[in-house]
């Protein structure tokens, strides 16, 4: 398991994959990352504090991810991140949170005292696919409400049941409405949700240009950020 990496291209930053307590939502049908969760707080902190020590602050930007949401990291881990942020004069954090935490985002801004880009794993703007198939739990009323909370969305492509039209619309909406977004090409895992190879091949041909799009980071495989 690689838990520390450096992203040198778009949005240069260090990135940490930390352990956390179980995801409070925990209903996403495609997700088996929750296997990295634990209820052993002492062990979680032991792992995380060692990883945090690897941060150098070279870009002044740090991203924290875990198998859920930043709010599920233990207090000691959060304090360790805060100490490192202050010590290295880190100016910006990338953090991830589910829609259920939307009313608590300011807590993290107040806690860390630096600029925060909040990412959220929306996966698709297509409500029927997102909620009926992926069970994401994003009951936002309209796009403006979603944008009012989150600066960045994570999209997923190449899943059975998804269509080219859905993907085209997802990319268009993200480009037009968000300062940053991530596209993850689905990798088969232990869940019942399966990849669509034909759709993935089409996406890789049709959207290779996203590599040159300033707003977008594409994970052609789920470890492209160097962690996992």
């Amino acid at each position: 398991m690689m838990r520390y990496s450096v992203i040198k291209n778009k949005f240069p930053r260090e990135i940490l994959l930390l352990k956390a307590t179980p995801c409070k939502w925990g209903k996403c049908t495609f997700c088996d990352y929750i296997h990295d969760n634990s209820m052993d707080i002492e062990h979680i902190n032991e792992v995380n504090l060692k990883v945090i020590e690897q941060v150098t602050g070279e870009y002044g930007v740090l991203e924290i991810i875990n198998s859920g949401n930043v709010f599920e990291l233990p207090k000691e881990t959060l304090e360790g991140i805060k100490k490192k942020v202050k010590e290295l004069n880190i100016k910006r954090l990338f953090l991830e949170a589910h829609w259920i935490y939307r009313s608590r985002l300011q807590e993290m801004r107040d806690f860390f005292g630096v600029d925060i880009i909040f990412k959220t794993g929306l996966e698709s703007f297509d409500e029927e696919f997102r909620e009926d198939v992926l069970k994401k739990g994003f009951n936002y009323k309209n796009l403006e409400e979603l944008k009012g909370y989150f600066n960045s969305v994570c999209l997923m492509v190449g899943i059975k049941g998804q269509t080219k039209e859905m993907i085209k619309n997802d990319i268009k909406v993200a480009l037009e409405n968000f300062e940053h977004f991530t596209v993850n090409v689905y990798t088969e895992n232990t869940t019942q949700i399966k990849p669509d190879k034909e759709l993935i091949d089409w996406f890789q041909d049709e959207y290779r240009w996203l590599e040159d799009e300033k707003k977008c980071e594409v994970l052609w495989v789920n470890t492209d950020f160097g962690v996992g």
Side-chain angles (χ1 to χ4, degrees), residues 71 97 101-109 118 149-150:
F71 292 92
Y101 287 108
R102 63 193 180 280
S103 64
R104 296 183 57 191
L105 304 185
Q106 189 60 41
E107 292 178 26
M108 287 295 169
R109 293 190 174 98
F118 269 109
Y149 292 107
F150 296 100

Side-chain angles (χ1 to χ4, degrees), residues 90-138:
I90 290 170
K91 300 295 187 183
R92 171 176 281 188
L93 290 172
F94 281 74
L95 302 179
E96 189 163 0
H98 187 275
W99 178 250
I100 59 173
Y101 287 108
R102 63 193 180 280
S103 64
R104 296 183 57 191
L105 304 185
Q106 189 60 41
E107 292 178 26
M108 287 295 169
R109 293 190 174 98
D110 294 341
F111 178 76
F112 286 111
V114 297
D115 180 42
I116 294 179
I117 299 294
F118 269 109
K119 303 169 71 172
T120 193
L122 183 73
E123 318 310 348
S124 177
F125 293 102
D126 186 283
E127 184 177 6
E128 184 177 354
F129 179 71
R130 185 182 69 242
E131 303 304 333
D132 293 350
V133 178
L134 303 182
K135 309 295 185 186
K136 286 300 305 185
F138 277 73

Side-chain angles (χ1 to χ4, degrees), residues 53-86:
E53 279 306 307
Q54 296 180 68
V55 176
T56 67
E58 62 179 305
Y59 294 114
V61 184
L62 175 64
E63 178 166 4
I64 305 294
I65 61 175
N66 58 281
S67 50
N69 308 271
V70 66
F71 292 92
E72 289 137 16
L73 294 172
K75 183 179 178 181
E76 189 176 346
T77 289
L78 290 172
E79 291 287 357
I81 298 166
K82 183 178 180 178
K83 180 182 176 185
K84 188 62 70 172
V85 165
K86 186 174 181 180

Side-chain angles (χ1 to χ4, degrees), residues 10 32 57 96 98 120 139 145 165 176-177 189 192 202 209 226 228:
K10 302 174 193 174
D32 66 356
E96 189 163 0
H98 187 275
T120 193
N139 59 334
E145 184 183 19
E165 288 69 31
E176 292 176 352
N177 290 277
N189 55 32
Q192 296 301 307
W202 166 83
W209 58 266

